[in-house]
Amino acid sequence: MTTTEQSANAPRPETLTPAKTQPRKQRRLGKHPDGTHWLFLAPTLLVFTLCIVLPALMGIFFSFTNSVGYGEWEFVGLSNYALMFTDPAILSSFGFTLGFAAITVIVTNIVAFLLAVGLSAKIRARVALRTIFVIPMVVSPIVIAFVFKFLFAKTVPAAAGALGIGPLEETILANPDLAWLSIVIVTAWQAIPGTMLIYIAGLVAIPDDIYEAASIDGIGPWRQMWLITIPLMAGYILINVVLTFKNFLNAYDIIKGLTDGGPGTSTRSVAMTIFRGFTDGDYAYQMATATIFFIITLAIALLQLRLTRPRKR
């Protein structure tokens, strides 16, 4: 037999099965982990269960009772939930929280997007400017609230009086119809930096070749914004809208330091209503409110996961 015939009869490399040449233990390693990861997860799961899951389950349980937070209690069924849906104070707090969150989301995302576009351009000291704009994100919300409270109560009325601007000579914090505006301004001011950083990350990921090709075709900056930037940033915009809306639903610190829910109850959020109920002997009743609020927040979180989940092609 010649050398040519031997090579022709030899088995081809592609006919070999790679999986059979590997040890069985190595092939099964990916499907059957040895369980070591549970050793690292156990402390975190234990703390999460004791500090988050267990208190939440206890709160849901007591929402079906008449407990005041201590002492004896009895089951009352769905009485707390039925009363909650007819309570003007609860309905008002839900309405304020949802309306405030919706308006603040719009303001925050528009301003953050425009700042991100400006700080992503080829300008001098853009790194230093980014650092300056991020400062509000690292300051405590309660400190920010007290600083702006002084500005709205003293500085703005004094400046308005000197300039002859009549409507602003009185602090808006004492006006039931305008107090919510101060909360929107302060909350957006603190939330804009984090939102802006996400937008900057998205803008940096867009190739420059696309803008160069658009410029060659005669497309101006504003049309590039509408035809290129915004469509390519749709995923980042969606993430920011969902995240900011979910965070604003839990607003407490800034409202507490700025208006304390006033004047009257015009700026009282759901979170403030729940906490006030704990000290007023409405523990079980406010646990029902917290349960409904938790369901709403959970629904928004699930919506976020659904919208941001990568689609299979």
Side-chain angles (χ1 to χ4, degrees), residues 122-195:
K122 297 179 180 180
I123 58 176
R124 293 183 179 180
R126 61 179 177 179
V127 176
L129 290 175
R130 289 178 185 178
T131 305
I132 294 173
F133 280 106
V134 169
I135 291 176
M137 188 174 63
V138 299
V139 182
S140 172
I142 196 68
V143 173
I144 294 174
F146 283 127
V147 171
F148 273 92
K149 184 176 183 179
F150 177 81
L151 293 176
F152 286 128
K154 302 292 183 181
T155 307
V156 174
L163 297 174
I165 306 176
L168 295 179
E169 291 183 2
E170 295 183 1
T171 175
I172 61 175
L173 299 178
N175 189 332
D177 297 327
L178 297 177
W180 64 271
L181 186 59
S182 64
I183 299 174
V184 170
I185 294 173
V186 179
T187 304
W189 186 81
Q190 199 216 9
I192 284 172
T195 308

Side-chain angles (χ1 to χ4, degrees), residues 163-247:
L163 297 174
I165 306 176
L168 295 179
E169 291 183 2
E170 295 183 1
T171 175
I172 61 175
L173 299 178
N175 189 332
D177 297 327
L178 297 177
W180 64 271
L181 186 59
S182 64
I183 299 174
V184 170
I185 294 173
V186 179
T187 304
W189 186 81
Q190 199 216 9
I192 284 172
T195 308
M196 181 188 68
L197 290 178
I198 296 178
Y199 282 138
I200 290 177
L203 291 170
V204 171
I206 300 176
D208 294 335
D209 298 342
I210 299 178
Y211 293 104
E212 293 177 0
S215 299
I216 294 174
D217 292 338
I219 300 177
W222 285 108
R223 291 190 64 195
Q224 290 181 17
M225 174 76 71
W226 288 104
L227 299 178
I228 299 176
T229 306
I230 293 180
L232 293 178
M233 291 286 293
Y236 295 90
I237 294 173
L238 177 61
I239 291 174
N240 271 331
V241 168
V242 176
L243 288 178
T244 51
F245 187 74
K246 186 173 62 176
N247 292 335

Side-chain angles (χ1 to χ4, degrees), residues 5-285:
E5 293 176 346
Q6 291 178 353
S7 60
N9 295 329
R12 297 180 180 179
E14 59 268 18
T15 60
L16 298 177
T17 305
K20 294 182 179 180
T21 62
Q22 298 177 358
R24 179 176 299 179
K25 183 177 180 181
Q26 183 178 357
R27 296 200 308 268
R28 298 178 59 186
L29 185 61
K31 296 183 179 180
H32 301 280
D34 57 1
T36 306
H37 61 286
W38 289 109
L39 181 63
F40 295 95
L41 287 175
T44 303
L45 291 176
L46 179 62
V47 173
F48 181 80
T49 302
L50 294 177
C51 298
I52 304 296
V53 178
L54 184 60
L57 294 177
M58 291 177 61
I60 296 174
F61 172 81
F62 280 110
S63 69
F64 298 99
T65 69
N66 61 354
S67 174
V68 295
Y70 58 88
E72 299 180 355
W73 48 267
E74 297 178 356
F75 280 104
V76 295
L78 298 175
S79 299
N80 291 325
Y81 292 91
L83 180 62
M84 181 189 66
F85 286 108
T86 58
D87 188 347
I90 299 296
L91 297 178
S92 175
S93 65
F94 269 96
F96 167 77
T97 303
L98 294 174
F100 147 78
I103 295 174
T104 312
V105 163
I106 296 174
V107 174
T108 299
N109 281 275
I110 291 177
V111 176
F113 185 82
L114 294 177
L115 287 175
V117 172
L119 294 177
S120 298
K122 297 179 180 180
I123 58 176
R124 293 183 179 180
R126 61 179 177 179
V127 176
L129 290 175
R130 289 178 185 178
T131 305
I132 294 173
F133 280 106
V134 169
I135 291 176
M137 188 174 63
V138 299
V139 182
S140 172
I142 196 68
V143 173
I144 294 174
F146 283 127
V147 171
F148 273 92
K149 184 176 183 179
F150 177 81
L151 293 176
F152 286 128
K154 302 292 183 181
T155 307
V156 174
L163 297 174
I165 306 176
L168 295 179
E169 291 183 2
E170 295 183 1
T171 175
I172 61 175
L173 299 178
N175 189 332
D177 297 327
L178 297 177
W180 64 271
L181 186 59
S182 64
I183 299 174
V184 170
I185 294 173
V186 179
T187 304
W189 186 81
Q190 199 216 9
I192 284 172
T195 308
M196 181 188 68
L197 290 178
I198 296 178
Y199 282 138
I200 290 177
L203 291 170
V204 171
I206 300 176
D208 294 335
D209 298 342
I210 299 178
Y211 293 104
E212 293 177 0
S215 299
I216 294 174
D217 292 338
I219 300 177
W222 285 108
R223 291 190 64 195
Q224 290 181 17
M225 174 76 71
W226 288 104
L227 299 178
I228 299 176
T229 306
I230 293 180
L232 293 178
M233 291 286 293
Y236 295 90
I237 294 173
L238 177 61
I239 291 174
N240 271 331
V241 168
V242 176
L243 288 178
T244 51
F245 187 74
K246 186 173 62 176
N247 292 335
F248 295 155
L249 287 179
N250 300 319
Y252 179 81
D253 295 347
I254 290 178
I255 300 177
K256 178 67 177 179
L258 200 60
T259 64
D260 196 22
T265 59
S266 59
T267 60
R268 184 175 294 180
S269 65
V270 177
M272 292 191 68
T273 303
I274 294 172
F275 279 111
R276 285 182 180 273
F278 292 159
T279 59
D280 295 339
D282 292 335
Y283 177 78
Y285 181 51

